[in-house]
Amino acid sequence: NRSGGYELRNNWFKGSSSPKDITFVNKGAGTVCLVEGFMDFLSLLELRPRLGTSSSFLVLNSLALVGKSLDMLGRHRRVLLFLDHDQAGRMESERLLRSELNCRDLSSLYQGHKDVNELLVARRGQAKRLRPRFGHRKGARGRSL
């Protein structure tokens, strides 16, 4: 993050090192994407790779840090919101949409899922279930490949 702390994640652990702060990925763009966590940031890049070249990113690392992000958000012409579909995320999205910032809520991208990362995990699981097993695919004439 911008203060030298790290977000630490794996399958069994979710934590951070001090100091806790926001992470700004500056692409010099007029648009900034606002996400709650680093996994959402990485998932968004996977799902919408074009955003990686056309937008900057602000990772809150905690919804409690949105106040620290307001100055940075105000430096951009447009703020794209990718906050969680929980009560806190919806409340913060509504507050930002009412602010003087030019915000647009894009959480409909992951409708039916808590956040961007949950959507990506669900899609990957679905793709694995639909992928044919090696040796069981049939060629054009019905023979195994």
Side-chain angles (χ1 to χ4, degrees):
N1 64 40
R2 68 179 181 176
S3 296
Y6 291 90
E7 295 299 310
L8 309 167
R9 301 284 187 275
N10 68 24
N11 289 339
W12 307 277
F13 179 77
K14 180 179 179 179
S16 61
S17 68
S18 293
K20 188 86 166 164
D21 202 353
I22 61 176
T23 301
F24 182 57
V25 180
N26 187 2
K27 298 285 188 160
T31 298
V32 63
C33 298
L34 181 66
V35 296
E36 285 192 40
F38 212 77
M39 295 307 290
D40 291 324
F41 163 63
L42 295 174
S43 297
L44 189 57
L45 289 177
E46 179 74 17
L47 291 166
R48 297 288 187 264
R50 207 175 298 167
L51 283 175
T53 58
S54 64
S55 303
S56 294
F57 295 85
L58 202 147
V59 182
L60 292 171
N61 295 316
S62 170
L63 201 54
L65 297 176
V66 74
K68 287 186 168 187
S69 73
L70 295 176
D71 182 54
M72 187 93 46
L73 294 174
R75 296 180 196 165
H76 293 82
R77 287 188 312 269
R78 188 167 60 159
V79 179
L80 305 179
L81 304 176
F82 296 93
L83 302 181
D84 289 1
H85 281 157
D86 56 16
Q87 184 178 2
R90 283 191 298 271
M91 287 176 56
E92 195 57 51
S93 289
E94 290 172 15
R95 190 176 77 78
L96 288 167
L97 289 167
R98 288 190 310 266
S99 74
E100 69 278 354
L101 300 170
N102 182 21
C103 295
R104 183 169 173 210
D105 184 5
L106 294 182
S107 65
S108 61
L109 168 72
Y110 43 98
Q111 190 66 38
H113 300 277
K114 178 185 176 262
D115 57 26
V116 181
N117 181 248
E118 189 176 277
L119 170 66
L120 180 62
V121 169
R123 283 190 178 176
R124 289 238 168 115
Q126 184 180 32
K128 284 182 183 177
R129 287 190 303 276
L130 296 176
R131 188 177 309 136
R133 293 177 180 239
F134 182 76
H136 296 287
R137 297 183 332 174
K138 300 285 183 180
R141 297 194 174 137
R143 290 178 281 184
S144 292
L145 297 176

